[in-house]
Amino acid sequence: MGYTEEVRRTERRKPLLLIQHTPHEHPAALRRGLESQGVEVLWCHPYQGDSYPELTEIAGIISLCGPMSANDKKHHPWISAECELLKVAVHENLPVLGVCLGDQILAQALGAKVRRAERPEVGWFPVVLTPEGMSDPVLSASGPTPTVFHWHQDTFEMPKNATLLAHSAGCSHQAFRFGEQAYGFQFHP
């Protein structure tokens, strides 16, 4: 092994930031899966007043679920700060994943509106991958109509220049990709 390979192999990797929005909606299996693969996790609880790290200190961001609306900044002022964090992270080409509430905050960070859906979507329902979703390096492995868990009452408009990856009977925007490194999933993968 050459010197360069040895240095790369022994460098300490930066942690992945997991943002949790409420005590009862934690990363559970996601965190265990990441850690079992040697991915260090930095866990942040903005609803408890935790500060976000500098982007130079992390390898990427996963913004998790929560029962509040991304529009509820009056009662949850940390939403504005997280929206700005995700916006800057995306523009710095840091990998970002938003799930459910995190997806809606990511969509807002990219300039899209979040609004109340026509009806809540709660339970196990299929999503339909678009042709872009079927060729996407992340979602294509799930097959054309994976059954996934939903628990949301809001939906989002597509951010400008984003690619729609999936939709469902109850929600026209279920997953999107922005650039190569940012993903939003309305559903819970």
Side-chain angles (χ1 to χ4, degrees):
M1 177 181 310
Y3 175 76
T4 305
E5 289 85 12
E6 181 63 27
V7 169
R8 264 193 232 124
R9 205 173 65 105
T10 58
E11 284 179 358
R12 183 180 170 320
R13 291 185 188 174
K14 295 177 184 178
L16 184 64
L17 177 64
L18 285 177
I19 303 174
Q20 182 176 332
H21 301 117
T22 185
H24 62 278
E25 294 195 31
H26 50 81
L30 174 63
R31 180 178 179 208
R32 287 190 303 276
L34 290 167
E35 290 176 344
S36 76
Q37 298 302 307
V39 177
E40 184 182 346
V41 174
L42 177 61
W43 207 346
C44 182
H45 302 261
Y47 63 95
Q48 292 180 340
D50 288 0
S51 298
Y52 299 111
E54 296 295 322
L55 292 180
T56 57
E57 299 173 357
I58 58 175
I61 301 172
I62 299 177
S63 176
L64 298 171
C65 318
M68 62 287 296
S69 170
N71 294 323
D72 198 5
K73 295 174 176 108
K74 179 180 176 185
H75 293 99
H76 305 285
W78 50 263
I79 292 174
S80 294
E82 182 172 334
C83 193
E84 185 61 26
L85 175 75
L86 297 184
K87 177 181 178 181
V88 173
V90 167
H91 292 293
E92 292 290 325
N93 290 320
L94 203 63
V96 175
L97 170 62
V99 179
C100 193
L101 173 64
D103 161 79
Q104 295 162 11
I105 294 173
L106 177 59
Q108 270 189 349
L110 297 171
K113 291 184 180 182
V114 173
R115 61 176 167 73
R116 186 72 72 193
E118 288 183 29
R119 63 183 179 275
E121 198 173 28
V122 178
W124 291 91
F125 304 106
V127 295
V128 178
L129 269 57
T130 63
E132 295 81 6
M134 287 297 298
S135 64
D136 182 76
V138 173
L139 285 183
S140 61
S142 67
T145 57
T147 297
V148 293
F149 188 69
H150 304 265
W151 193 321
H152 61 94
Q153 57 189 3
D154 286 352
T155 188
F156 60 94
E157 294 178 1
M158 284 293 293
K160 185 178 179 180
N161 299 320
T163 301
L164 180 65
L165 301 175
H167 58 85
S168 69
C171 188
S172 59
H173 301 138
Q174 282 286 353
F176 72 91
R177 183 184 66 238
F178 187 86
E180 299 292 321
Q181 309 246 104
Y183 283 84
F185 299 152
Q186 179 69 63
F187 56 87
H188 301 231

